[in-house]
Amino acid sequence: MIVAGSHSQVLATALAEETGRRLAGVEFERFPDGEGIVRVDEVGESAIVVASTVSDRAHVELLQLQDAVREAGATQVTTVIPYMGYARQDHAFAAGEPVSARAMARAISTGTDRVLTVNPHESAICDYFDVPATAVDAAHRLAGPLPDDLTNPLFVAPDEGAVDAAESVAAGYGRGETDYFEKTRRSGSDVEITPSDAAVADRDVVVVDDIVATGTTMSESVAVLQDGDARRVYVACVHPLLARNAYLRLTRAGVESIHGTDTLEHPVSEVSAAPAIAAEL
Ligand code: R5P
């Protein structure tokens, strides 16, 4: 049965429909001291826990769900982490810092037989799990909502790390070139984008990234494209975190549309990652 985390109810439902599995009943409550508790219904012998770890609380909730399904009798537990929080902390960036992605992966490994996670920032983080872990690519599905009539389309990644996602969207679209910019991050909210040599004038450009968090990377990329006289600019991301005023920044920047998947539940999450996950289950 499919067991949904509180932040992944839409995707878990889509995955249940996609795979023909039943959706377990789950309750989420909070004690007066702030601690959370989950309760699951009957889950059968094989449980697939689907929970994005979008916050510290969501991490704890995932560990509780894994424990709860074992308590309810599951002998085979698969954990699907549509969006894995802390994955960007994939190494110690400064002395004294943890490898947070590894710490999270180790904790999650204790309650599961295998892990699937969608477009992690670096697929190498799968090695941090102590159980078999698979990186699922759902980026190609972001081609779905793009208009059929893109003019001389260019799929561009804001940095080299996202070029696989850009290539995946281009492949899903069926035509167009792929390129990437250079990104220098000065702080969490300050990045410099250096354009590539690709001509963008009069072309429709789709900027593809794995995550849009503060929207800084995307809005700087959009500005570079507008300076180059791109015809229309679209934004596609696997994980539409869209923190704070990110959505406003991008819409005010004049992008045609913003598309994301349901690894995170947001009004732009109209593309489901469920078929990509189902194919790897
Ligand atoms: C980092 O390299 C990621 O691929 C994204 O570019 C980054 O997480 C986006 O963050 P923000 O929206 O805050 O610029």
Side-chain angles (χ1 to χ4, degrees), residues 24 35 37 42 86 98 121 127 131-132 137 168 170 179 189 198 202 220:
E35 289 183 354
I37 185 72
E42 172 259 327
Y86 289 92
H121 183 56
D127 296 340
V131 293
D137 177 32
S168 192
D179 206 345
S189 58
D202 302 322
E220 291 298 319

Side-chain angles (χ1 to χ4, degrees), residues 187-217:
S187 72
S189 58
D190 184 12
V191 303
E192 181 182 337
I193 297 289
T194 307
S196 67
D197 294 334
V200 299
D202 302 322
R203 300 180 75 172
D204 287 332
V205 182
V206 184
V207 195
V208 182
D209 208 348
D210 55 340
I211 306 169
V212 176
T214 65
T216 306
T217 301

Side-chain angles (χ1 to χ4, degrees), residues 83 88 121-122 158-162 183 185 187-191 193 208-221 239 241-244 246 249-250:
Y83 168 75
R88 285 177 291 176
H121 183 56
E122 292 287 345
D159 58 38
E160 195 173 0
K183 178 167 86 174
R185 184 175 281 285
S187 72
S189 58
D190 184 12
V191 303
I193 297 289
V208 182
D209 208 348
D210 55 340
I211 306 169
V212 176
T214 65
T216 306
T217 301
M218 269 298 168
S219 50
E220 291 298 319
S221 301
H239 307 298
L241 204 53
L242 292 164
R244 303 198 291 250
R249 285 177 78 175
L250 293 173

Side-chain angles (χ1 to χ4, degrees), residues 22-78:
R22 286 164 56 215
L23 200 54
V26 189
E27 288 176 17
F28 310 99
E29 286 179 23
R30 200 154 288 285
F31 291 109
D33 64 1
E35 289 183 354
I37 185 72
V38 300
R39 289 186 196 89
V40 299
D41 286 351
E42 172 259 327
V43 294
E45 285 189 359
S46 172
I48 300 172
V49 178
V50 183
S52 283
T53 52
V54 67
S55 65
D56 295 355
R57 281 183 171 180
H59 270 283
V60 174
E61 183 188 283
L62 170 57
L63 300 181
Q64 290 181 313
L65 284 169
Q66 291 174 320
D67 207 68
V69 298
R70 293 265 194 223
E71 282 292 310
T75 53
Q76 189 69 26
V77 179
T78 297

Side-chain angles (χ1 to χ4, degrees), residues 16-184:
E17 286 168 5
E18 187 72 27
T19 61
R21 289 178 168 88
R22 286 164 56 215
L23 200 54
V26 189
E27 288 176 17
F28 310 99
E29 286 179 23
R30 200 154 288 285
F31 291 109
D33 64 1
E35 289 183 354
I37 185 72
V38 300
R39 289 186 196 89
V40 299
D41 286 351
E42 172 259 327
V43 294
E45 285 189 359
S46 172
I48 300 172
V49 178
V50 183
S52 283
T53 52
V54 67
S55 65
D56 295 355
R57 281 183 171 180
H59 270 283
V60 174
E61 183 188 283
L62 170 57
L63 300 181
Q64 290 181 313
L65 284 169
Q66 291 174 320
D67 207 68
V69 298
R70 293 265 194 223
E71 282 292 310
T75 53
Q76 189 69 26
V77 179
T78 297
T79 299
V80 177
I81 315 168
Y83 168 75
M84 182 176 163
Y86 289 92
R88 285 177 291 176
Q89 295 185 41
D90 54 2
H91 60 277
F93 292 91
E97 291 187 357
V99 182
S100 302
R102 185 180 58 202
M104 298 303 155
R106 284 177 175 165
I108 291 165
S109 299
T110 61
T112 193
D113 298 293
R114 68 182 285 228
V115 169
L116 277 71
T117 187
V118 179
N119 292 89
H121 183 56
E122 292 287 345
S123 51
I125 66 159
C126 287
D127 296 340
Y128 289 148
F129 291 90
D130 297 323
V131 293
T134 305
V136 175
D137 177 32
H140 60 280
R141 296 191 49 76
L142 290 164
L146 293 171
D148 293 335
D149 63 348
L150 291 182
T151 299
N152 194 10
L154 177 67
F155 296 85
V156 67
D159 58 38
E160 195 173 0
V163 76
D164 287 352
E167 283 171 354
S168 192
V169 180
Y173 191 70
R175 64 188 173 91
E177 291 177 340
T178 307
D179 206 345
Y180 63 92
F181 293 157
E182 298 291 336
K183 178 167 86 174
T184 308

